[in-house]
Amino acid sequence: MTTVLTGITTTGTPHLGNYVGAIKPAIKKSKLDDINSYFFLADFHALIKCWEPDRVAQSTKEIAATWLALGLDTDQAMFYRQSDIPEIPELTWLLTCMTSKGLMNRAHAYKAQVAENLAENPEQGEADPDKGVTMGLFSYPVLMAADILMFNADEVPVGKDQTQHLEMARDIGARFNHHFGEHFKMPKTIVDDKVSILPGLDGRKMSKSYNNTIPLWLPEKKLRKHIMKIKTNLLEPGEPKDPNDSFVFDIYKAFATESQVNEMRTAFENGIAWGEAKQQLFEMINTELSGPREKYNELMENPDIIEKELIKGAEKARAYATPLLAKLKQAVGIRPIK
Ligand code: TRP
């Protein structure tokens, strides 16, 4: 059995890029017999960058409903909310005491903030390089290490920007093992280049931070409207178009079968109008999402179902976490008096 684990920070609304790049492949893989999946809503991570309570709560609800609507089998996979597992913050502390500050000084997210502070104030020597840096931001790789090591994950699928955090998780876990015995497996980073680069409306990677996303659960009409906004060039209907230089084609590829891709390639060469290509793209995406969309809307109207699923997931996950944490405490010397 291979244990695959990944977390989703609960600050945003799921978009097509999340779906194609992460959610769809994760759910598909979770159905394999030799895969043990852990998917969790990283709501403690959300607090690092988001101090809008309603947004955190709403995002948690939307992301949970999304995975359920898309057919995640919660009997087979573990699906839980990070904050429902009190063992995770406890483990975070044990690991924090095994983490050198110098390692955290090198974390990209922290360094980026420091660099920004210094750039704002280049010649002022007394400028505070740590302006706007909370301890949450600074030590967030330790929390992430606890997420992963808590369940002895073998594989962690993440975006490229997260690979450093995985190196740190291995570093921290290895140091704990070195001092207190072999408790943790070293998790492998899985970055899938092929699926992670769905372009957004403007052609840059689809991302909340670029404001170029197509939300996953738009009603049909709005979905069509968004797709019609994807940036194209000025070639007229009838003029041949280069599929290798088209965001419409790139997105089409992410949804279509091989033979559909080939047909569209020919249509491009034959000068399909942009409006027509986008219409076909819309129909393809809409066909795939219309069933799950109904399910999603139903779940959003029945939040108790979502809550129950998460409670069930937390119970299952804690069945693993509770005994492991007890062992770890024993190992570091936090023990009953005797
Ligand atoms: N930090 C990750 C991100 O921003 C989310 C995350 C939190 C995560 N904990 C994790 C991913 C553990 C993988 C494993 O994408």
Side-chain angles (χ1 to χ4, degrees):
M1 286 301 268
T2 303
T3 297
V4 178
L5 176 145
T6 201
I8 311 101
T9 306
T10 54
T11 47
T13 291
H15 57 68
L16 279 184
N18 302 137
Y19 172 67
V20 168
I23 310 173
K24 189 177 169 184
I27 293 180
K28 186 167 168 216
K29 193 166 176 184
S30 76
K31 298 192 190 299
L32 301 176
D33 285 334
D34 56 346
I35 298 292
N36 207 347
S37 299
Y38 286 73
F39 302 127
F40 69 96
L41 304 157
D43 52 354
F44 282 145
H45 285 268
L47 304 184
I48 294 165
K49 45 185 176 180
C50 180
W51 298 349
E52 296 164 59
D54 292 339
R55 178 146 155 229
V56 173
Q58 177 67 14
S59 171
T60 305
K61 181 179 173 186
E62 289 179 4
I63 295 171
T66 295
W67 285 70
L68 296 171
L70 289 169
L72 178 69
D73 178 346
T74 58
D75 290 320
Q76 200 179 13
M78 305 277 193
F79 188 55
Y80 55 97
R81 182 166 42 197
Q82 180 186 33
S83 60
D84 285 337
I85 317 291
E87 289 81 2
I88 289 175
E90 282 195 65
L91 176 57
T92 301
W93 184 253
L94 301 191
L95 298 178
T96 298
C97 297
M98 283 289 107
T99 304
S100 61
K101 177 169 176 288
L103 184 69
M104 295 299 98
N105 286 341
R106 293 192 284 280
H108 297 318
Y110 169 62
K111 273 178 36 179
Q113 184 66 50
V114 171
E116 200 179 297
N117 289 340
L118 295 179
E120 257 171 32
N121 228 334
E123 65 271 21
Q124 211 177 314
E126 69 268 32
D128 179 5
D130 284 336
K131 194 177 118 207
V133 177
T134 63
M135 286 307 292
L137 175 72
F138 184 68
S139 53
Y140 127 73
V142 189
L143 177 60
M144 188 159 157
D147 292 332
I148 297 166
L149 299 174
M150 184 86 263
F151 298 103
N152 268 313
D154 297 299
E155 296 183 355
V156 182
V158 285
K160 257 203 208 80
D161 59 319
Q162 298 289 316
T163 53
Q164 189 196 32
H165 296 143
L166 263 292
E167 282 164 32
M168 291 174 161
R170 286 188 292 269
D171 246 46
I172 297 168
R175 186 149 176 201
F176 190 99
N177 282 352
H178 177 73
H179 286 282
F180 301 117
E182 287 294 315
H183 296 282
F184 298 125
K185 283 193 206 168
M186 293 300 111
K188 231 169 64 199
T189 314
I190 308 289
V191 179
D192 192 335
D193 290 323
K194 198 177 110 261
V195 293
S196 59
I197 39 164
L198 194 74
L201 295 174
D202 59 356
R204 290 184 293 174
K205 179 187 167 183
M206 190 178 288
S207 161
K208 196 174 50 186
S209 33
Y210 294 148
N211 206 6
N212 65 354
T213 67
I214 303 177
L216 183 53
W217 303 118
L218 289 175
E220 208 168 299
K221 270 196 182 148
K222 282 201 174 153
L223 176 63
R224 185 170 178 283
K225 247 190 173 157
H226 268 69
I227 289 172
M228 291 297 159
K229 280 195 286 201
I230 299 168
K231 201 168 145 194
T232 57
N233 56 30
L234 295 172
L235 291 174
E236 299 284 342
E239 289 186 82
K241 299 178 176 64
D242 182 2
N244 299 324
D245 182 27
S246 162
F247 309 133
V248 177
F249 191 79
D250 290 338
I251 300 178
Y252 192 86
K253 263 196 316 209
F255 287 87
T257 63
E258 214 180 299
S259 71
Q260 286 170 316
V261 171
N262 289 333
E263 274 170 41
M264 188 54 95
R265 196 183 297 280
T266 310
F268 265 62
E269 282 152 11
N270 293 337
I272 188 173
W274 285 123
E276 177 55 26
K278 288 176 174 177
Q279 177 65 25
Q280 288 189 28
L281 174 61
F282 159 70
E283 281 166 19
M284 161 158 310
I285 295 179
N286 191 50
T287 304
E288 181 163 330
L289 292 181
S290 59
R293 186 192 295 132
E294 264 175 52
K295 183 98 224 277
Y296 175 82
N297 290 333
E298 203 180 298
L299 285 163
M300 291 300 280
E301 276 160 33
N302 295 283
D304 311 359
I305 303 178
I306 308 174
E307 183 65 27
K308 254 197 218 121
E309 287 283 5
L310 294 179
I311 300 288
K312 176 179 95 177
E315 273 168 18
K316 287 196 326 178
R318 290 191 74 194
Y320 189 93
T322 308
L324 177 56
L325 184 72
K327 242 178 55 189
L328 299 172
K329 281 169 129 174
Q330 175 76 22
V332 300
I334 296 178
R335 301 171 185 163
I337 306 293
K338 60 173 183 202

